[in-house]
């Protein structure tokens, strides 16, 4: 039995990765390590409770002693590291939390893995999940980010992720730690915390609340359905080349304002409102500081080496996603009320 440590498994992307691995690899033990910050919602994985190959550990990756102990006591063979502070706006008001979790936390995991594996790296792998934001911002006429694009982060969030990426590569180059990295574009889908654009706006449309569009809504993001990201992570973890970086992206660039109008049409239709009626909720607000104009990923390396392609057309993915949030209003309500934070105590008695 292999023991796979997945950090940040109670978060948005992590929960999809944990579910995929627990169900697909019954002979592997999947250990979900998460601090359960505001972004961690363990009820996202309630369907896995009691499965023999699933274990949850509440721990903070910025606590070196706790992380070392976990590596000393559990025979970890592989790490898929997703735990992070992930919201750009929060990084602007509280950059220190981002340095602590994203940089120091990653370093703690690297050092603990290196020491536990004691340079006998046979069968071991440290997989670091990163973001396209480390590459900076593109103009409208520039070609997409490749794995060779120079790092140029602009927000405290992307600076902290860039720093963690550098540490991961440094552990490979200096100590020979077997690592692999991937840098992905914007994800969307079920279980995303409603501070991020898509779930926030679906919830606000539902309650007829203003939709705060930063600046003129001209920024472009490259959207990928979260389960396609989880599938890419599975492929890279099992078949990626050690020491390599893979870009993951949807090939699906949308200007924010166009995406918001699509979201409004879809949500109005599913709510039985006149299509487009909620456009009156659009409210242009002060732009995000240092707001990157455009992200776009060239994922041809992943496609050519491992045969990965996104499975969903965007309109279909948005339809599916809006339906999910509307059909799971109790999920959105428990998150916005804070009730979701009681789940761990109820289930684990702490
Ligand atoms: P998220 O904010 O939804 O979840 C993060 C998880 O990490 C939460 O469960 C939280 O409790 C946990 N966590 C935070 N600090 C921790 C700590 N100190 N110790 C242990 N656990 C801690 O994030 P997400 O959107 O699922 O992103 C997951 C990863 O993927 C991040 O590394 C992010 O940088 C990267 N990523 C995200 C996107 C995206 O569009 N969301 C795109 C590319 C890459
Ligand atoms: O590109 C990958 C990144 O995508 C991940 O690394 C981050 O963890 C993830 O949060 C996401 O970052 P963004 O900043 O692109 O996502 P967000 O949902 O916050 O914003 C998407 C776009 O919408 C961005 O241009 C800012 C804009 N926006 C966002 C919010 C929350 C608004 O106009 N209004 C809003 O209220």
């Amino acid at each position: 039995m292999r023991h796979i440590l997945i950090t940040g498994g109670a978060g948005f992307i992590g929960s999809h990765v944990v579910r995929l691995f627990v169900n697909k690899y019954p002979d592997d033990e999947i250990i979900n390590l998460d601090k359960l910050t505001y972004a961690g919602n363990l009820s996202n994985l309630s369907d896995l409770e009691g499965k023999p190959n699933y274990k949850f550990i509440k721990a903070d990756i910025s606590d070196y002693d706790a992380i070392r102990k976990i590596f000393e006591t559990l025979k970890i063979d592989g790490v898929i590291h997703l735990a992070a502070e992930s919201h750009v706006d929060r990084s602007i008001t509280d950059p220190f939390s981002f340095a602590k979790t994203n940089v120091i936390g990653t370093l703690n995991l690297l050092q603990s893995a290196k020491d536990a594996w004691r340079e006998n790296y046979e069968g071991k792998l440290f997989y670091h999940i990163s973001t396209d934001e480390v590459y900076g911002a593109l103009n409208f006429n520039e070609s997409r980010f490749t794995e060779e694009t120079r790092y140029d982060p602009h927000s405290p969030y992307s600076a902290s992720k860039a720093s963690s990426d550098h540490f991961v590569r440094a552990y490979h180059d200096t100590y020979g730690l077997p690592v692999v990295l991937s840098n992905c574009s914007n994800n969307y889908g079920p279980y995303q915390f409603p501070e991020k654009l898509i779930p926030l706006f679906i919830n606000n449309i539902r309650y007829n609340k203003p939709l705060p569009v930063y600046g003129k809504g001209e920024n472009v993001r490259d959207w990928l359905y979260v389960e396609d990201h989880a599938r890419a992570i599975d492929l890279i973890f099992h078949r990626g080349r050690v020491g390599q970086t893979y870009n993951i992206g949807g090939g699906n660039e949308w200007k924010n304002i166009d995406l918001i109008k699509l979201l409004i049409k879809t949500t109005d239709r599913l709510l039985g409102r006149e299509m487009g009626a909620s456009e009156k909720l659009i409210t242009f607000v002060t732009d995000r500081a240092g707001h990157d104009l455009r992200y776009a990923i060239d994922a041809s390396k992943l496609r050519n080496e491992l045969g990965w392609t996104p499975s969903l057309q965007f309109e279909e993915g948005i339809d599916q996603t809006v339906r999910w949030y509307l059909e799971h209003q109790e999920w959105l309500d428990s998150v916005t009320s804070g009730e979701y934070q009681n789940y761990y105590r109820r289930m684990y008695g702490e």
Side-chain angles (χ1 to χ4, degrees):
M1 182 180 237
R2 299 214 318 147
H3 306 274
I4 314 297
L5 181 73
I6 300 183
T7 70
F12 165 48
I13 301 170
S15 66
H16 291 272
V17 176
V18 168
R19 179 173 295 102
L20 175 68
F21 274 64
V22 168
N23 290 328
K24 188 168 172 188
Y25 301 107
D27 294 335
D28 287 348
E29 181 183 43
I30 308 303
I31 304 154
N32 172 12
L33 183 158
D34 200 295
K35 181 184 174 183
L36 300 182
T37 66
Y38 79 92
N41 184 343
L42 205 56
S43 76
N44 293 351
L45 293 171
S46 56
D47 53 315
L48 301 185
E49 299 289 356
K51 292 230 177 198
N53 67 331
Y54 172 66
K55 185 204 280 292
F56 175 70
I57 299 177
K58 186 171 191 277
D60 182 345
I61 58 167
S62 68
D63 179 345
Y64 182 51
D65 292 339
I67 297 304
R68 272 194 90 80
K69 212 166 281 164
I70 287 164
F71 273 85
E72 278 162 15
T73 50
L74 303 174
K75 297 200 169 342
I76 308 289
D77 298 294
V79 177
I80 304 178
H81 174 36
L82 294 113
E85 288 292 342
S86 70
H87 192 42
V88 174
D89 293 329
R90 287 181 190 256
S91 82
I92 295 167
T93 49
D94 178 20
F96 286 94
S97 299
F98 284 68
K100 194 171 168 200
T101 287
N102 299 359
V103 185
I104 302 297
T106 301
L107 185 52
N108 289 341
L109 286 162
L110 288 165
Q111 181 72 10
S112 303
K114 173 179 96 61
D115 289 349
W117 296 342
R118 295 215 173 71
E119 303 188 19
N120 176 10
Y121 295 139
E122 193 56 38
K124 307 289 193 278
L125 184 65
F126 190 106
Y127 179 5
H128 179 63
I129 306 297
S130 193
T131 171
D132 59 1
E133 302 204 8
V134 298
Y135 297 125
L138 295 167
N139 281 317
F140 291 118
N141 57 2
E142 279 180 294
S143 49
R144 296 176 294 171
F145 299 133
T146 70
E147 289 80 0
E148 272 68 54
T149 303
R150 193 174 69 87
Y151 273 33
D152 184 21
H154 297 139
S155 71
Y157 164 67
S158 53
S160 69
K161 291 295 291 187
S163 171
S164 65
D165 293 10
H166 291 319
F167 270 108
V168 174
R169 294 193 181 100
Y171 266 66
H172 176 65
D173 295 347
T174 307
Y175 307 109
L177 192 77
V179 306
V180 68
L181 298 89
S182 59
N183 295 73
C184 189
S185 64
N186 285 62
N187 285 214
Y188 71 99
Y191 298 117
Q192 188 167 31
F193 197 83
E195 62 184 351
K196 308 278 167 62
L197 182 77
I198 290 182
L200 174 73
F201 277 35
I202 295 170
N203 200 37
N204 284 10
I205 295 168
R206 177 161 74 101
Y207 284 118
N208 281 307
K209 286 174 30 182
L211 306 174
V213 180
Y214 297 164
K216 295 185 179 139
E218 282 182 337
N219 305 68
V220 171
R221 297 290 181 267
D222 177 354
W223 294 92
L224 178 69
Y225 193 64
V226 62
E227 287 180 4
D228 281 332
H229 188 188
R231 237 176 0 93
I233 290 173
D234 178 19
L235 268 179
I236 293 167
F237 183 70
H238 289 100
R239 292 182 30 217
R241 283 185 295 140
V242 170
Q244 294 288 310
T245 296
Y246 296 88
N247 278 355
I248 311 172
N252 176 45
E253 292 181 52
W254 282 75
K255 202 181 260 199
N256 286 346
I257 194 67
D258 296 335
L259 160 59
I260 288 162
K261 287 185 178 162
L262 171 67
L263 209 51
I264 290 172
K265 278 204 191 87
T266 310
T267 312
D268 280 346
R269 173 167 52 77
L270 293 172
L271 284 172
R273 293 181 189 165
E274 191 190 327
M275 259 186 5
S278 302
E279 280 193 20
K280 63 176 183 300
L281 300 173
I282 290 177
T283 310
F284 291 95
V285 299
T286 308
D287 208 355
R288 173 185 277 173
H291 197 172
D292 287 333
L293 180 63
R294 172 175 165 242
Y295 304 139
I297 279 280
D298 177 345
S300 50
K301 178 175 174 183
L302 182 59
R303 189 181 60 237
N304 295 338
E305 278 191 24
L306 301 180
W308 176 90
T309 49
S311 68
L312 269 189
Q313 287 300 313
F314 190 55
E315 281 82 352
E316 190 188 345
I318 282 292
D319 189 275
Q320 215 166 290
T321 300
V322 175
R323 275 179 204 278
W324 188 87
Y325 284 100
L326 297 182
E327 284 165 8
H328 292 79
Q329 297 199 356
E330 75 294 341
W331 184 87
L332 268 174
D333 291 340
S334 86
V335 172
T336 50
S337 70
E339 205 281 322
Y340 72 108
Q341 285 171 321
N342 299 325
Y343 178 86
Y344 175 72
R345 194 166 24 79
R346 274 205 312 273
M347 290 302 294
Y348 291 80
E350 287 171 44

